[in-house]
Amino acid sequence: MKKVLIGLGIFIGVVIVGFYICKFTGMYRLHTCVTMANEPALPLNSMFATSNLKDEKSGDLITFQQDTAVYIFRLVAKEGDVVLIKNGRLFVNDADFDSKVATKHSYLVSAEQLLQLNPQPYAIPNPNGKYAAFLEDAVADKAGLAQYKYVAPQNEPDPHIVKIYGKGWNKDFFGPLTIPKNKVFVLGDNRDNAYDSRYLGLIDTDKITGVVLKK
């Protein structure tokens, strides 16, 4: 019995040491999602794992260090890629990137339309009496709400984006932008509720800390 307990203690100790080695080296880390920026792939308060042993590629969800904060977004373009957002839809090297990713956008709907949705989405009252409801695009299409998707007018530059890129762009009309060496461009899947590369700027490749596993 004593030998069994000693063996069990050694095993537990090895597991604990291994866990902390993986955590502090970045080989395997567990995280809690504290934002809605990557819904529907990563719901708020969901758990996910990352590893720095996996090479990041376009389409991966990645974590990266920016100042003192750790961010998670989808890597959509790497060095040499050309990014273009037109009418709120992402194109990379002229290919429709959004056709292969489940995305969310804001839709301006009435109170009656909002109540008909089940489950109820996160929504913000609008000054014109409507609601900005953050919906999966597939859900909006199924509910017949596609035409209510909010797209920022092309002639209304976003001052935050202008400050970063020096161009008269906004969240829905952005680029074309060629990604320079040692940089990547990231976006949140919840496109109207994400403080991503449109506002943060391009991300240095050496700031990437991990790739999300199985998402």
Side-chain angles (χ1 to χ4, degrees):
M1 184 67 178
K2 184 177 180 180
K3 289 183 178 180
V4 173
L5 292 175
I6 292 173
L8 182 60
I10 292 172
F11 174 75
I12 293 173
V14 169
V15 170
I16 292 173
V17 170
F19 172 80
Y20 280 101
I21 289 174
C22 288
K23 178 180 178 180
F24 289 113
T25 61
M27 294 167 57
Y28 185 87
R29 288 179 178 173
L30 287 174
H31 307 259
T32 300
C33 188
V34 296
T35 173
M36 295 184 289
N38 296 291
E39 291 181 345
L42 286 178
L44 180 66
N45 296 323
S46 62
M47 297 286 295
F48 64 94
T50 63
S51 175
N52 61 8
L53 298 179
K54 184 178 178 182
D55 291 332
E56 67 274 8
K57 63 182 186 299
S58 182
D60 284 339
L61 286 163
I62 63 169
T63 53
F64 58 91
Q65 189 83 28
Q66 191 82 347
D67 298 324
T68 59
V70 175
Y71 290 82
I72 172 171
F73 285 120
R74 193 173 298 279
L75 192 161
V76 300
K78 303 178 75 173
E79 176 184 332
D81 290 334
V82 179
V83 170
L84 174 68
I85 302 175
K86 186 176 181 180
N87 289 315
R89 197 163 187 88
L90 172 65
F91 296 87
V92 179
N93 301 327
D94 295 324
D96 185 348
F97 189 96
D98 285 353
S99 63
K100 51 187 179 181
V101 177
T103 54
K104 269 187 168 185
H105 285 87
S106 57
Y107 290 78
L108 294 180
V109 298
S110 66
E112 292 74 19
Q113 290 170 319
L114 184 63
L115 289 172
Q116 290 174 8
L117 295 169
N118 187 23
Q120 288 286 295
Y122 176 68
I124 301 173
N126 191 278
N128 62 10
K130 294 184 178 294
Y131 290 83
F134 294 88
L135 296 173
E136 291 183 42
D137 294 314
V139 170
D141 289 346
K142 187 175 180 179
L145 298 175
Q147 68 270 31
Y148 297 104
K149 177 180 173 181
Y150 174 70
V151 176
Q154 187 173 7
N155 61 353
E156 293 184 6
D158 185 314
H160 300 287
I161 294 175
V162 173
K163 182 179 180 180
I164 294 291
Y165 293 98
K167 302 286 186 178
W169 301 337
N170 61 38
K171 69 180 184 68
D172 294 319
F173 289 92
F174 184 103
L177 174 69
T178 301
I179 309 304
K181 187 177 181 179
N182 297 326
K183 300 284 188 178
V184 296
F185 191 90
V186 299
L187 285 177
D189 292 345
N190 192 352
R191 294 287 167 76
D192 294 342
N193 195 10
Y195 193 74
D196 49 36
S197 276
R198 292 169 293 182
Y199 306 98
L200 283 172
L202 299 171
I203 307 304
D204 294 332
T205 53
D206 62 5
K207 298 296 185 182
I208 297 173
T209 56
V211 177
V212 176
L213 303 175
K214 295 183 180 180
K215 288 292 181 181

